[in-house]
């Protein structure tokens, strides 16, 4: 029995109690939940339904809990129900009901853990969005791992998600990039406000290979060639490195397109319609202070140039016009000040900034070797890049390490720890369970132990304490996925895999032998435990997939 199935049983019992007592069914929720108690001695699951309903129907909570317990105690699969404290219901399942979960998980396969909790939500999720003036640095890599995991979680809970990378390919930073490439091609020092690093020379050389005549042009024309060709090459490199990292976007959106298609004028007109635009000192302003911003924002300067903020407004409107009800943007630690102005901007368009716009801030990441931070990239010169991280610890470890922590916490990634083939390496600890469960299944087949049909599965044999503990851990997975999606916290999946599933499986494996010894006859208990082994493999694989990490069959 899954937690969702038990919750349905609890609600059915509540309906029966209300019928018997003549209570108003309107007080009953459409659905309820059961939770795993912190103390295993308090039962398999707990419900607070009696406490929730007591005031609504005017029945003391313990009296209502007693009626619910009596009704629940007659439900198939429920072994016992105890009343605790002011009206908690502590529920124990019989072994057969608890063990059936192994069959449910194995038969569900990749679908186990998925739900329709966020069905109907259309979400645009923008992450990474690094300027195309250099390789993706380690801060952007964090958002690549977390953002991709979050997109998987949102889809697993029924949301319609469009992932998006915004290329800031218009503005002064692109001009500095082009000047830097031109200087490198001429063998000159980079401009004082330009970009350094070996990659600038590499890209400049590639542009020259494509356009051998570029240095015969006037500087203005040559700079334009380096801008167009250089940005395209940087685009390709960023997309390729992210693809190698397992991250693909549904949409790569160019800022320049907003300008070329006149979308900044469209956004300005829409904001004027809302009455939030005014002119002052020759410039065009947006009255964001009406919605909590610390100052009004310039949309168009007195010289006629658009501001970056105007492009932000146009880009937000473009997303909303494409039908996305919620716009989620992931930004680095240095963008915390953007939250107020962006929320105010959404309100200026007439949107609800709490409903339609969500901004997540990620903190800094450091890569450590021998306890000291690495500060210089071999290629970028000033920052640690995606390639540096992957070269140091690999794709799986990188993605797991970056997604394992709450995004609002700084991370120190110790190269020695994350490359160690021991249990203190979190990704190794979890992947080892994936490999061990696959190994058990292979070895079982070699000795003639097969899972068999569901009709032959005897779940009531899974009565050992460690089997029950593992079953309860596996039962939590759908709720963990739903909570991680709703709270935008993929790290909950990683911690669950480590602390609940992997830890419980190791204790099960040490105490409950799956394979027969020597010439021992294969029994129904061996088969039941193989179902549980395979259910564990399913949950580990599904959880790792949500993090974009592989579930190896051998290590």
């Amino acid at each position: 029995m899954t937690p969702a199935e038990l919750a349905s049983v609890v609600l059915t019992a509540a309906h029966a109690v209300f019928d018997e007592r003549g209570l108003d069914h309107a007080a009953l929720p459409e659905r309820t939940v059961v939770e795993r108690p912190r103390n295993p001695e308090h039962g398999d699951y707990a419900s607070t339904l009696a406490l929730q309903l007591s005031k609504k129907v005017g029945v003391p909570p313990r009296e209502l809990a007693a009626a619910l317990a009596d009704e629940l105690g007659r439900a198939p699969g429920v072994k016992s129900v105890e009343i605790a404290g002011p009206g908690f219901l502590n529920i124990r399942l019989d072994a057969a009901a608890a063990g059936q979960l192994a069959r449910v998980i194995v038969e569900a396969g990749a679908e186990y853990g998925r739900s329709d909790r966020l069905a109907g939500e259309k979400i645009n999720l923008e992450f990474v969005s690094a300027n195309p003036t250099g390789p993706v640095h380690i801060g952007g890599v964090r958002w690549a791992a977390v953002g991709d995991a979050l997109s998987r979680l949102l889809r697993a809970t029924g949301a319609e998600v469009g992932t998006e990378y915004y290329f800031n390919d218009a503005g002064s930073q692109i001009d500095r990039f082009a000047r830097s490439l031109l200087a490198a091609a001429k063998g000159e020092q980079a401009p004082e406000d330009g970009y350094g690093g070996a990659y600038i020379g590499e890209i400049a050389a590639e542009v020259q290979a494509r356009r051998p005549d570029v240095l015969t042009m006037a500087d203005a024309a040559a700079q334009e060639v380096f801008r167009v060709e250089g940005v395209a090459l940087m685009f390709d490199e960023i997309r390729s490195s992210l693809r190698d990292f397992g991250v693909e976007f549904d949409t790569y959106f160019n800022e320049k397109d907003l300008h070329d298609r006149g979308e900044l004028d469209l956004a300005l007109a829409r904001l004027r319609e809302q009455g939030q635009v005014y002119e002052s000192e020759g410039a065009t302003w947006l009255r964001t202070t009406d919605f909590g911003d610390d100052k009004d924002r310039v949309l168009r300067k007195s010289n006629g140039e658009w501001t970056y903020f105007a492009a932000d407004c146009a880009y937000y409107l473009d997303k909303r016009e494409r039908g996305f009800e919620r716009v989620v943007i992931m930004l680095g630690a240095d963008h915390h000040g953007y939250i107020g102005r962006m929320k105010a901007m959404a309100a200026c368009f007439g949107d609800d900034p709490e409903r339609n716009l969500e901004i997540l801030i990620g903190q800094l990441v450091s890569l450590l070797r021998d306890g000291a931070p690495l500060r210089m990239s071999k290629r970028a010169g000033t920052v640690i890049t995606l390639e540096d991280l992957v070269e140091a610890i690999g794709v799986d470890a990188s993605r797991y390490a970056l997604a394992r922590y709450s995004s609002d916490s700084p991370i120190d990634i110790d190269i020695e720890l994350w490359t160690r083939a021991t249990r203190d390496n979190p990704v190794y600890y979890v992947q080892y369970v994936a490999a061990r469960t696959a190994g058990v299944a292979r070895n079982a087949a070699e000795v003639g132990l097969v899972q068999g049909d569901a009709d032959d599965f005897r779940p009531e044999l899974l009565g050992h304490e460690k089997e029950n503990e593992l079953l309860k851990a596996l039962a939590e997975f759908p709720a963990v996925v739903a909570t991680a999606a709703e709270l935008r916290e993929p790290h909950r999946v990683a911690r669950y895999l480590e602390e609940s599933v992997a830890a419980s499986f190791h204790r099960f494996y040490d105490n409950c032998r799956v394979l027969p010894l020597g010439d021992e006859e294969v029994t129904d208990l061996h088969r039941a435990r193989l179902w549980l082994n395979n259910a564990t493999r399913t949950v580990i694989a599904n959880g790792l997939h949500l993090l974009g990490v592989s579930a190896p069959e051998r290590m």
Side-chain angles (χ1 to χ4, degrees):
M1 186 183 298
T2 68
E5 289 171 338
L6 178 58
S8 179
V9 170
V10 171
L11 198 54
T12 299
H15 276 278
V17 169
F18 274 45
D19 282 339
E20 182 182 335
R21 292 182 168 232
L23 300 175
D24 184 3
H25 280 247
L28 288 167
E30 290 186 6
R31 65 181 182 181
T32 187
V33 297
V34 293
E35 298 177 340
R36 185 176 171 184
R38 292 183 180 180
N39 186 345
E41 294 181 1
H42 293 166
D44 297 325
Y45 295 99
S47 170
T48 59
L49 187 60
L51 294 169
Q52 295 167 16
L53 297 176
S54 174
K55 286 186 178 179
K56 294 182 180 179
V57 297
V59 178
R62 281 190 65 91
E63 180 182 333
L64 188 56
L68 284 170
D70 185 58
E71 188 67 34
L72 269 174
R74 294 193 289 270
V78 175
K79 182 179 179 180
S80 66
V81 184
E82 298 172 356
I83 304 168
F88 295 105
L89 294 172
N90 291 336
I91 306 166
R92 286 180 170 81
L93 302 180
D94 62 35
Q100 280 290 356
L101 180 67
R103 175 189 58 78
V104 170
I105 294 171
V106 172
E107 291 182 341
E111 292 299 305
Y112 183 67
R114 303 180 69 87
S115 71
D116 60 357
R117 186 75 69 90
L118 299 181
E121 289 206 30
K122 190 171 182 182
I123 300 172
N124 181 280
L125 179 62
E126 180 200 339
F127 56 101
V128 183
S129 295
N131 291 337
T133 54
V136 179
H137 61 77
I138 198 167
V141 183
R142 181 175 198 175
W143 276 139
V146 174
D148 188 61
L150 182 53
S151 73
R152 295 168 185 242
L153 283 163
L154 292 170
R155 286 171 175 142
T157 46
E160 182 181 345
V161 181
T163 58
E164 196 144 316
Y165 189 120
Y166 182 56
F167 277 116
N168 300 97
D169 59 343
S172 59
Q173 83 278 5
I174 298 299
D175 293 335
R176 296 198 302 272
F177 178 62
R179 292 200 306 273
S180 302
L181 294 176
L182 177 58
K186 289 181 172 182
E188 300 172 356
Q189 290 289 325
E192 187 175 336
D193 62 348
Y195 296 91
Y199 77 94
I200 291 292
E202 294 169 8
I203 293 175
E206 287 190 57
V207 173
Q208 286 178 273
R210 290 185 177 191
R211 297 288 302 271
D213 62 333
V214 65
L215 292 184
T216 66
M217 302 176 182
D219 279 358
Q223 183 175 314
E224 179 62 14
V225 170
F226 277 108
R227 186 191 70 78
V228 174
E229 297 286 351
V231 166
L233 287 166
M234 200 71 250
F235 272 2
D236 290 343
E237 180 175 327
I238 290 172
R239 291 178 67 165
S240 177
S241 62
L242 288 169
R243 189 180 304 116
D244 291 343
F245 197 58
V247 178
E248 289 272 14
F249 290 86
D250 299 318
T251 302
Y252 292 88
F253 194 105
N254 290 20
E255 179 187 353
K256 189 172 181 295
D257 290 343
L258 292 171
H259 293 264
D260 294 345
R261 296 196 298 246
E263 291 196 40
L264 279 79
D265 289 297
L266 178 64
L268 178 59
R270 188 70 59 85
L271 291 166
R272 282 192 193 279
E273 291 173 6
Q274 296 291 325
Q276 299 300 330
V277 174
Y278 66 94
E279 310 293 328
S280 178
E281 300 175 355
T284 303
W285 297 72
L286 185 64
R287 194 175 285 105
T288 53
T289 51
D290 283 359
F291 301 99
D293 196 7
D294 58 347
K295 62 181 180 181
D296 289 343
R297 303 290 169 174
V298 176
L299 295 172
R300 191 172 233 160
K301 302 176 186 177
S302 58
N303 63 6
E305 291 182 2
W306 293 104
T307 62
Y308 284 122
F309 185 67
D312 289 338
C313 294
Y315 187 36
Y316 173 79
L317 179 61
D318 182 276
K319 291 176 178 179
R320 295 283 287 120
E321 293 287 291
R322 280 185 273 148
F324 292 105
E325 298 164 2
R326 185 181 292 270
V327 174
V328 181
I329 307 173
M330 296 178 158
L331 298 174
D334 56 341
H335 287 73
H336 200 277
Y338 277 55
I339 296 177
R341 76 186 72 168
M342 294 293 285
K343 291 281 190 179
M345 173 265 290
C348 286
F349 276 116
D351 281 350
D352 177 354
E354 298 309 311
R355 165 64 188 160
N356 300 117
L357 178 62
E358 189 173 337
I359 297 177
L360 307 178
I361 300 293
Q363 293 301 319
L364 301 176
V365 182
S366 298
L367 189 60
L368 307 182
R369 189 190 298 276
D370 298 326
L374 295 180
R375 301 191 183 281
M376 301 291 284
S377 168
K378 296 175 183 176
R379 186 161 174 266
T382 55
V383 294
I384 300 298
T385 67
L386 186 158
E387 287 79 6
D388 296 322
L389 180 61
V390 170
E391 181 182 344
I393 65 175
V395 171
D396 276 351
S398 297
R399 291 193 60 136
Y400 194 96
L402 291 165
R404 182 177 182 260
Y405 300 91
S406 174
S407 58
D408 59 6
S409 300
I411 306 175
D412 290 330
I413 298 178
D414 188 322
I415 292 174
E416 182 184 2
L417 169 66
W418 287 94
T419 54
R420 197 179 295 157
T422 58
R423 284 190 174 191
D424 57 347
N425 175 352
V427 71
Y428 179 88
Y429 182 60
V430 175
Q431 287 185 316
Y432 185 73
V433 174
R436 172 165 271 185
T437 51
V440 168
R442 285 194 305 272
N443 295 335
E446 291 175 2
V447 299
L449 171 57
V450 294
Q451 181 178 278
D453 295 332
D455 291 341
D456 299 323
F457 172 47
R458 296 187 57 190
E460 70 275 9
L461 298 178
L462 298 176
H464 191 283
E465 175 190 359
K466 300 306 177 187
E467 293 165 343
N468 187 258
E469 178 188 334
L470 178 55
L471 284 164
K472 286 194 286 187
L474 300 180
E476 293 177 8
F477 184 54
V480 170
V481 172
T483 301
E486 290 174 343
L487 298 181
R488 319 300 193 230
E489 295 181 343
H491 72 274
R492 289 175 176 270
V493 175
R495 295 307 177 104
Y496 159 77
L497 293 177
E498 291 170 43
E499 298 166 7
S500 194
V501 180
S504 296
F505 177 79
H506 285 302
R507 289 190 286 270
F508 157 75
Y509 187 86
D510 291 342
N511 288 275
C512 304
R513 186 164 184 83
V514 178
L515 303 178
L517 279 172
D519 295 330
E520 183 182 356
E521 182 181 350
V522 172
T523 67
D524 287 341
L525 177 58
H526 293 123
R527 279 186 282 272
R529 286 175 173 172
L530 183 59
W531 277 87
L532 183 50
N533 174 85
N534 295 347
T536 305
R537 165 79 190 176
T538 297
V539 171
I540 287 284
N542 291 357
L544 286 173
H545 174 74
L546 290 172
L547 300 176
V549 177
S550 69
E553 295 193 357
R554 289 179 170 85
M555 289 182 71

